[in-house]
Amino acid sequence: MLGHGFHIERFDLIDSTNTYLMGKAREGAPGGLVAVADHQLAGRGRLDRRWEAPPGSSLLASILLREHLEPGTSHLLTAAVALSGAAAVERLCGLRPGLKWPNDLVIGGAKVAGVLAEADTCAPGGGPGTTAVVVGIGMNLTWPGPPGVGGTSLLAASGVVVDRDLLLDELLGELSLRLDLLRTAVGRETLTEDLRGSLVTLGTVVSVETPGGTVVGRARSISTAGHLVVEVGDDEVEIVTGDVVHVRPASEGQPGAD
Ligand code: BTN
């Protein structure tokens, strides 16, 4: 099925829509291919975690993109998907999720969706200078996620039972607008501003688990490469990857003040 220039393949059951599309990328499949499933047997999350959801309870979709990316802008591709998901939710549910760095969608502090981007610079196909990137999104429609994770669902947060296909259609429509933005310097600036404005992480006191240890401080900004800049005492620490906990909201005191 075609929609907004994307070609959608639907599955009742699959191992992982990301894994499937990365396989297709390595066979030379074109950008714009989308896989959506009712259920995944081996869904994957960030940082090598599993992503599990009961059948039919979530939007489980991945998109193969083959964009010409200016150096240091690949995070904007992932952000484009997260922002498109947030805009689609706003249209269908009347409330707009914020973004928690790097790419979670949150409502009232609770995670409603996660985004996983994977790139293969060697995958054949695509135009010169393009990279195959598979961006997957898992969004809780009626199930708030596993116990203990503090997640929510669109149903719990808004009272709306969202139609999965409609949500995907809205998301892809929003994404096609943002892919156009990615293709110009002015557009990338617009996308960056949208990202900064949507990141509820900025201004909050965070505790970040990084491969090098725990960093606690106030999240100040994101760098042009999409890294989180955290103020720790008189220093600034740039975080490339990690798990963020929002310790205190923007309006409260400095870290260590209490
Ligand atoms: C995260 O850890 O927050 C990212 C989760 C991404 C899950 C989605 S579900 C559809 C796609 N297929 C996968 O195996 N993972 C992504």
Side-chain angles (χ1 to χ4, degrees), residues 5 35 43 87 116 120 135 154 187 189 206 208:
L116 173 68
D120 186 339
V135 188
L154 293 182
E189 198 45 52
V206 293
V208 194

Side-chain angles (χ1 to χ4, degrees), residues 15-19 40 42-46 49 51 59-62 104 111 113-116 136-138:
D15 52 354
S16 149
T17 54
N18 261 47
T19 304
Q40 297 183 125
R44 293 183 293 109
R46 286 179 60 242
R49 298 192 181 114
W51 184 267
L59 172 67
L60 306 168
S62 301
D104 286 350
K111 180 166 175 168
V115 176
L116 173 68
I137 183 163

Side-chain angles (χ1 to χ4, degrees), residues 2 10 57-58 105 115 117 128 142-143 152 176 215 227 256:
L2 281 168
R10 297 174 191 282
S57 67
S58 307
L105 274 68
V115 176
T142 55
W143 184 66
T152 189
S176 97
V215 175
H227 304 160

